[in-house]
Amino acid sequence: MAGKPKLHYTKGRGKMESIRWLLAAAGVEFEEEFIETKEDLEKLRNDGVLLFQQVPMVEIDGMRMVQTRAILSYIAAKYNLYGKDLKERAWIDMYVEGTTDLMGMIMYLPFQPPDTKEKNLALIIERATTRYFPVYEKALKDHGQDYLVGNKLSWADVHLLEAILMVEECKPDVLSAFPLLQVRRISNIPTIKKFLQPGSQRKPPTDEKFIAVVRKIFNI
């Protein structure tokens, strides 16, 4: 039997968090090998296991996979979270790219100087409530189902829940105008519910201590 996937990244969310979410939603147990120092990262690079000298890197099915999007696509397809045909896959891709854009804005917010942080936080809330969340609310309203695509749990749903929770950390009442997003039932799916419990491998929001570690590891 193949071993558990092994995730190589820092102890924070970053680009690995969506991979953790998707594996957890699929009910897949995984191990983590944390990069805690600059030397840890250099060792991976020197060992030749990082295709483009970058992390995240996931060891899965005999491969050392890099590039977040490639890793996520592989996991989604492997665990039947990627639609039943090309059209469903295209919709899932579109929804995922939207939430990825939104999460990217939030991910980089803690690394910004204080004088721009407030302005960018306002922009995140504005984009979430006028550009992204209305799309998902309309999709759920139009087809009257609990899931975004094909009336079945997909990568798009998992990614959206992750994005919603990230935006709610910035503004708790951000879903006040989106009743269908408020009652997303996927948070009660047993594998997802488990991942949302304290003590899971879900990582906490980025704080100053973690930012200092990341700056040292990646020279930023």
Side-chain angles (χ1 to χ4, degrees):
M1 194 175 84
K4 296 175 185 175
K6 185 183 279 189
L7 282 49
H8 297 262
Y9 201 65
T10 61
K11 272 188 178 174
R13 288 182 181 177
K15 291 188 174 184
M16 187 65 91
E17 191 70 357
S18 293
I19 296 166
R20 297 182 185 111
W21 264 92
L22 199 56
L23 285 167
V28 179
E29 291 185 7
F30 57 89
E31 298 172 351
E32 298 190 81
E33 193 157 303
F34 294 116
I35 297 166
E36 300 186 73
T37 65
K38 192 176 172 182
E39 289 71 32
D40 291 342
L41 180 61
E42 282 307 310
K43 185 179 186 312
L44 285 175
R45 286 174 172 163
N46 294 334
D47 288 349
V49 299
L50 302 179
L51 192 62
F52 299 112
Q53 309 291 308
Q54 295 169 305
V55 287
M57 188 268 279
V58 175
E59 294 184 63
I60 184 170
D61 295 342
M63 296 184 289
R64 290 185 174 117
M65 292 196 72
V66 297
Q67 296 296 338
T68 311
R69 170 80 203 199
I71 297 165
L72 286 165
S73 298
Y74 182 83
I75 293 166
K78 180 177 170 74
Y79 295 104
N80 201 22
L81 294 167
Y82 210 176
K84 69 178 187 299
D85 55 32
L86 273 175
K87 281 191 175 178
E88 285 195 359
R89 186 166 290 197
W91 276 106
I92 290 166
D93 283 341
M94 285 192 282
Y95 289 144
V96 163
E97 289 299 323
T99 41
T100 299
D101 289 346
L102 179 59
M103 288 194 285
M105 294 172 71
I106 300 169
M107 201 183 301
Y108 293 112
L109 190 66
F111 293 89
Q112 294 167 357
D115 55 332
T116 60
K117 204 177 279 188
E118 196 172 327
K119 185 177 76 174
N120 287 328
L121 177 59
L123 179 63
I124 287 165
I125 303 306
E126 189 266 329
R127 288 275 169 86
T129 53
T130 64
R131 180 177 293 188
Y132 297 109
F133 289 169
V135 169
Y136 307 114
E137 181 80 7
K138 183 177 187 301
L140 294 170
K141 187 178 180 182
D142 285 352
H143 57 46
Q145 296 160 352
D146 290 337
Y147 304 107
L148 287 168
V149 179
N151 198 22
K152 181 178 181 294
L153 180 69
S154 76
W155 175 19
D157 298 295
V158 179
H159 218 52
L160 175 58
L161 180 59
E162 182 189 359
I164 286 171
L165 295 176
M166 285 175 77
V167 181
E168 283 184 329
E169 286 170 353
C170 300
K171 190 176 191 292
D173 66 347
V174 73
L175 291 183
S176 56
F178 305 100
L180 296 179
L181 296 187
Q182 284 178 44
V183 294
R184 300 282 351 252
R185 291 179 179 85
I186 74 158
S187 55
N188 285 320
I189 291 170
T191 54
I192 294 174
K193 195 171 186 178
K194 184 180 174 186
F195 190 61
L196 290 170
Q197 298 304 310
S200 80
Q201 285 166 292
R202 186 181 178 216
K203 300 298 178 272
T206 299
D207 60 16
E208 292 299 324
K209 188 178 172 186
F210 178 66
I211 289 170
V213 171
V214 168
R215 288 194 190 281
K216 255 185 203 172
I217 294 170
F218 296 102
N219 271 341
I220 53 174

